[in-house]
């Protein structure tokens, strides 16, 4: 919705994927904290038992071609056509001058995170961007569509700058990138050890 394009368009830019990855991370932490280890547990599955939000979060930090390939493969055979042709419902709401559903899901998670002391700075950043878009869209007129487009572009630029500033406050540490790098290096180490053992075994025989 904020990027103003389809899923394919959004996934094509790494900075947007990094924002989305941290949104997933903050949402998961908040929902798990809100469950408080009780009988209720948040439903964190997407479309299959193995494609969890954590896996999707890791996929989003891969290089663009690899990320798109893996995400489309994970979501199914129709995902590519749907991703190319469909924008978000929120984007359609903005285009038709309606208020989005952000206050009923995104704002709720931010408020829940604040209540339980969870970090939701990226979710808040995106929520602020959505609210700016709602205001600018409500003030735009059909005779001045270019003004609305300029406002949308300005909102995206501000969000990306705010995100960069947020990362700099964290010493340019992106939690998802750091974790993905950790698991990648661990996997590479395991494969290297396996290859070495296999080489020694074949060499002996």
């Amino acid at each position: 919705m904020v990027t103003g394009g389809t899923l394919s368009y959004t996934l094509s830019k790494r900075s947007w994927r990094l924002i989305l990855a941290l949104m997933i991370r903050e949402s998961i932490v908040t929902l798990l904290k809100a469950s408080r280890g009780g009988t209720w547990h948040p439903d964190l599955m997407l479309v299959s038992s193995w494609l969890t939000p954590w896996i999707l979060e890791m996929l989003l930090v891969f290089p663009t071609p690899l990320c798109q390939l893996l995400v489309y493969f994970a979501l199914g055979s129709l995902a590519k056509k749907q991703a190319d042709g469909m924008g978000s419902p929120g984007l359609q709401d903005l285009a038709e001058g309606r208020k989005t559903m952000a206050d009923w899901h995104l704002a709720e998670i931010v408020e829940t995170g604040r209540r339980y002391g969870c970090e939701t700075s990226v979710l808040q950043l995106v929520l602020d961007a959505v609210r700016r878009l709602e205001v600018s869209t409500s003030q735009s007129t059909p005779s001045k569509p270019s003004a609305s487009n300029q406002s949308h572009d300005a909102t995206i630029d501000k969000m990306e700058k705010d995100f960069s500033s947020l990362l700099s406050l964290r010493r340019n540490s992106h939690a998802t990138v750091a974790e993905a790098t950790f698991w990648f290096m661990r996997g590479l180490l395991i494969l290297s050890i396996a290859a070495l053992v296999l080489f020694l075994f074949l060499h002996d025989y």
Side-chain angles (χ1 to χ4, degrees):
M1 168 174 48
V2 177
T3 63
T6 61
L7 176 60
S8 291
Y9 178 68
T10 301
L11 292 179
S12 68
K13 193 166 182 180
R14 190 166 187 269
S15 61
W16 294 341
R17 296 201 311 274
L18 294 181
I19 292 174
L20 182 57
L22 283 183
M23 288 178 67
I24 294 173
R25 174 169 292 244
E26 291 181 356
S27 298
I28 292 173
V29 171
T30 298
L31 290 173
L32 289 176
K33 187 70 176 292
S35 70
R36 291 180 286 183
T39 56
W40 173 81
H41 295 284
D43 183 6
L44 299 177
M45 296 299 175
L46 294 178
V47 294
S48 71
S49 58
W50 64 271
L51 182 60
T52 64
W54 182 82
I55 292 177
L56 179 59
E57 180 191 344
M58 295 298 112
L59 293 180
L60 289 172
V61 302
F62 285 5
T64 299
L66 183 58
C67 168
Q68 291 177 322
L69 176 65
L70 292 174
V71 169
Y72 296 146
F73 174 77
L75 293 179
S77 58
L78 296 178
K80 183 67 169 69
K81 291 182 180 179
Q82 293 173 342
D84 286 341
M86 293 177 60
S88 72
L91 185 62
Q92 189 168 353
D93 287 337
L94 290 175
E96 296 177 3
R98 297 192 299 268
K99 189 176 178 64
T100 70
M101 297 291 290
D103 283 340
W104 284 270
H105 46 76
L106 189 55
E108 183 67 25
I109 294 179
V110 170
E111 178 57 33
T112 302
R114 185 178 297 113
R115 190 181 312 136
Y116 289 98
C118 300
E119 175 64 42
T120 57
S121 54
V122 177
L123 289 172
Q124 182 66 61
L125 184 152
V126 175
L127 178 61
D128 292 342
V130 171
R131 285 173 171 166
R132 283 196 297 271
L133 287 175
E134 288 178 338
V135 171
S136 64
T137 302
S138 65
Q139 294 175 347
S140 65
T141 60
S143 60
K144 294 183 179 180
S146 59
S148 178
N149 292 336
Q150 290 174 357
S151 177
H152 204 138
D153 292 342
T155 297
I156 293 175
D157 289 341
K158 176 171 174 49
M159 185 181 70
E160 290 184 326
K161 290 177 181 177
D162 289 346
F163 182 67
S164 297
S165 299
L166 185 62
L167 285 186
S168 66
L169 291 176
R170 299 178 180 179
R171 297 180 181 178
N172 291 315
S173 175
H174 189 293
T176 306
V177 174
E179 187 172 346
T181 302
F182 169 79
W183 285 109
F184 176 78
M185 296 304 295
R186 173 171 285 192
L188 190 62
L189 177 61
I190 293 173
L191 288 176
S192 299
I193 294 174
L196 179 60
V197 171
L198 182 61
F199 172 78
L200 293 175
F201 176 80
L202 293 177
H203 185 269
D204 288 341
Y205 290 93

